[in-house]
Amino acid sequence: MALLTREPRTTGGLPTAPDAAPRARPTHRELRADVVLAGALFVAAILSVALSALSQLFSFRDDAGAWPLLFAALTTLPLAVRRRFPVAVAVTISGAYFAGTSLELAELYVSQVTVFVAFYTMGAWMDDRRRAAWARWLIILGMFIWMLVSTYLGAVNPSENMPDTAGAFSPYVAYMLILWLVNVAYFGGAYYLGDRAYAAARDRDALRRRTRELEEEREMSAAQAVMLDRVRIARELHDVVAHHVSAMGVQAGAARTVLDRDPDAARGILAAVEQSARGAIDELHLLLDTLRAPETGDEQASTLRLEGLASLAHEMTAAGTPTTFTVVGDPVDVPETVHVNLYRIAQEALTNARRHAGPDVAADMRLRYDADAVELEVANTGRTRPAARPGLGQLGMRERAIASGGSLEFGPRDRGGYLVRVRVPIKTGSAA
């Protein structure tokens, strides 16, 4: 619907405060669309000029000549850069519309569409919200003044096409009131829609940024999960390799030493090597099965339990490190993870004793059940290395103790040797 014949318009909307979060810049596709829009409206304006002249619905000045075509270009073609220079485009189009309408040289239909688009663009694309508000209100003020002057001139100098001006609410007054109301809705709608478009675009940009952040966080969480799995795998492999393979190396060396003197002893040692190899293979198979199906609900229970500490002591004794094992207190049920972690801690402590405490080392394991905790002590009589930096094995023991909700202590004893102590709180009646 055409909003003005030859009388201008007025206000609509409220100014908005400057906003700190800008909207995304127009894309190349959007800029190309502006060029297409400007060209299409220019063609429409030329057709409007021709059809208006032919239909005699609206007549230009007698000496108009080619001026209507020039004003058609001034009110349409600037839209090609409306998103890049919104204020300049709006001022150019509004000024051309004012001048062309006042001089009876501009068509009145397509040009009103272009004024609306230019006014809307300032609200929808300007990041400086204060400047966008001032620019629009100044244009509205100019329209208001122009319409006020046009209303006055139409009242004091009525044309033959105007209705009779007699009466308080004459047809002329009613006609001008309609124009004012239409223009209020026209500019108010353009102002409101521009601000809403800007806010909606900014919300979409914020949503896209948040989506990217969530994707990055998800990728980071996945990477951290992979790293944790790698640490767990490394810890398990270290425990298996450190215990069984190092024991096999020591036993194989002992078998080679006594092979010529005592073949029977060598066969016994080699049998122990075979048993250690089978145990390592079984544990590696269990680890690989766990990695293949990490989230299955009926995962095979681990064979590493506190009841196996006695067998571990026998293995260490057979490998050349005399080891005793004592249980203090009445055994209680503990969670499966406590079984595995305490067994691995004992295994690592004994392996370290065999490696670092000298050839005459002896070890003693004590498993103590208290009313509210289970405690494991592994002591050896060998030498210690002062100020030795903790290795991967000791870090793994500490991680296992923390994973079980317990605490770990290790260090030289006052009477000589080395002590590893881990204490894990338990709840009476917890399921294994």
Side-chain angles (χ1 to χ4, degrees), residues 382-393:
R383 63 176 182 264
T384 60
R385 294 180 299 169
R389 185 175 63 180
L392 181 60

Side-chain angles (χ1 to χ4, degrees), residues 12-324:
L14 296 174
T16 57
D19 206 316
R23 68 171 293 178
R25 295 294 84 206
T27 62
H28 292 295
R29 181 178 180 181
E30 291 172 331
L31 296 177
R32 288 194 298 269
D34 290 342
V35 175
V36 174
L37 175 65
L41 288 176
F42 177 61
V43 173
I46 293 176
L47 292 176
S48 177
V49 169
L51 294 176
S52 297
L54 290 175
S55 65
Q56 299 298 317
L57 181 63
F58 169 78
S59 60
F60 299 101
R61 288 169 46 173
D62 295 336
D63 58 345
W67 282 101
L69 298 179
L70 175 61
F71 279 102
L74 291 175
T75 55
T76 57
L77 295 182
L79 290 178
V81 291
R82 69 186 182 95
R83 293 185 228 244
R84 294 180 179 176
F85 310 103
V87 174
V89 169
V91 170
T92 300
I93 292 178
S94 299
Y97 181 82
F98 293 164
T101 305
S102 300
L103 297 175
E104 300 182 10
L105 295 175
E107 60 86 29
L108 298 178
Y109 306 109
V110 176
S111 58
Q112 293 178 27
V113 175
T114 61
V115 171
F116 184 95
V117 172
F119 196 86
Y120 163 87
T121 301
M122 287 191 293
W125 283 94
M126 289 184 65
D127 289 327
D128 189 343
R129 304 310 294 166
R130 188 177 302 278
R131 184 165 174 254
W134 276 106
R136 286 178 291 175
W137 279 106
L138 288 175
I139 292 177
I140 291 174
L141 180 61
M143 287 285 190
F144 176 83
I145 294 173
W146 181 44
M147 191 170 187
L148 188 63
V149 171
S150 298
T151 302
Y152 175 77
L153 293 177
V156 298
N157 295 311
S159 66
E160 59 182 15
N161 295 325
M162 286 294 179
D164 186 15
T165 59
F169 280 95
S170 66
Y172 175 76
V173 173
Y175 172 75
M176 296 308 298
L177 286 176
I178 290 175
L179 289 181
W180 279 71
L181 292 176
V182 167
N183 280 278
V184 168
Y186 178 87
F187 282 101
Y191 199 113
Y192 174 78
L193 292 177
D195 283 346
R196 292 302 303 163
Y198 183 87
R202 190 183 58 186
D203 290 342
R204 289 193 300 270
D205 294 339
L207 181 60
R208 281 192 289 266
R209 287 194 298 269
R210 183 56 182 160
T211 301
R212 288 195 299 269
E213 292 173 359
L214 290 176
E215 291 175 353
E216 292 173 358
E217 290 177 3
R218 184 167 56 248
E219 292 175 358
M220 184 179 298
S221 298
Q224 290 175 347
V226 171
M227 291 179 63
L228 291 175
D229 283 341
R230 288 178 177 175
V231 171
R232 182 173 64 87
I233 295 169
R235 184 172 61 229
E236 294 291 342
L237 289 176
H238 174 271
D239 291 339
V240 173
V241 173
H243 176 68
H244 292 287
V245 177
S246 63
M248 287 188 291
V250 172
Q251 292 169 331
R256 179 178 54 80
T257 302
V258 302
L259 181 62
D260 295 332
R261 299 196 312 269
D262 192 349
D264 292 335
R267 279 194 294 271
I269 295 174
L270 291 176
V273 171
E274 180 183 3
Q275 183 179 0
S276 295
R278 292 182 185 276
I281 291 173
D282 291 339
E283 292 188 26
L284 288 174
H285 281 165
L286 181 62
L287 176 61
L288 291 175
D289 290 340
T290 302
L291 294 177
R292 290 191 186 103
E295 297 181 359
T296 55
D298 54 350
E299 184 178 332
Q300 182 181 358
S302 173
T303 59
L304 304 180
R305 304 182 63 80
L306 295 178
E307 292 82 354
L309 291 178
S311 298
L312 179 62
H314 289 308
E315 292 177 10
M316 295 300 299
T317 300
T321 302
T323 303
T324 60

